[in-house]
Amino acid sequence: MAIARRRIDLAEGRAALAAWQAAVGQETAPGAPPSRAVLATAVRYSLEELTARAPGNSVEVRVPPFGVTQCVEGPRHTRGTPPNVIECDAATWLELVTGRLAWSAAVDAGRVAASGLRADLSELLPLL
């Protein structure tokens, strides 16, 4: 199975993720929110990392408006809406990726929309 070529430089992606963590990690003295560019780069980098760790086409992960990827081995869909879709906002996605939020807690709170039998990333997250 071919792995998709990365579009986000690894160092740039890691730096964006670290900048996001620094911005949101200051619970007692919140700093400025991360810029849209930092948010976009962090999301796109983490989606590429997910695909690199779990290549495949059976699950589509959507983080609008920043990115979408297909991952996890299994039956491939070719047309229309895929049977296994996960969608959430950027902040929720990055919290899942960094371990600030557990998969089950996000699903229970309605912060993640997950449909389909394979739409469960609990074994893959957090990435870091």
Side-chain angles (χ1 to χ4, degrees), residues 58-60 62 81-87 103 112-120:
S58 68
V59 177
E60 186 166 289
R62 302 173 181 169
T81 301
N84 303 290
V85 177
I86 295 166
E87 187 168 336
W103 175 261
V112 170
S115 63
L117 296 174
R118 295 176 180 267
D120 182 349

Side-chain angles (χ1 to χ4, degrees), residues 8 37 39-49 65-67 93:
I8 303 295
L39 195 59
T41 301
V43 167
R44 291 174 184 143
Y45 164 74
S46 59
L47 288 171
E48 287 179 359
E49 187 64 24
F66 300 115
W93 174 249

Side-chain angles (χ1 to χ4, degrees), residues 60-113:
E60 186 166 289
V61 181
R62 302 173 181 169
V63 185
F66 300 115
V68 62
T69 193
Q70 292 183 359
C71 57
V72 182
E73 287 185 6
R76 177 185 173 101
H77 72 279
T78 55
R79 298 183 64 178
T81 301
N84 303 290
V85 177
I86 295 166
E87 187 168 336
C88 63
D89 62 79
T92 299
W93 174 249
L94 293 175
E95 287 179 23
L96 288 165
V97 165
T98 59
R100 292 175 58 93
L101 178 64
W103 175 261
S104 59
V107 171
D108 291 346
R111 294 181 63 188
V112 170

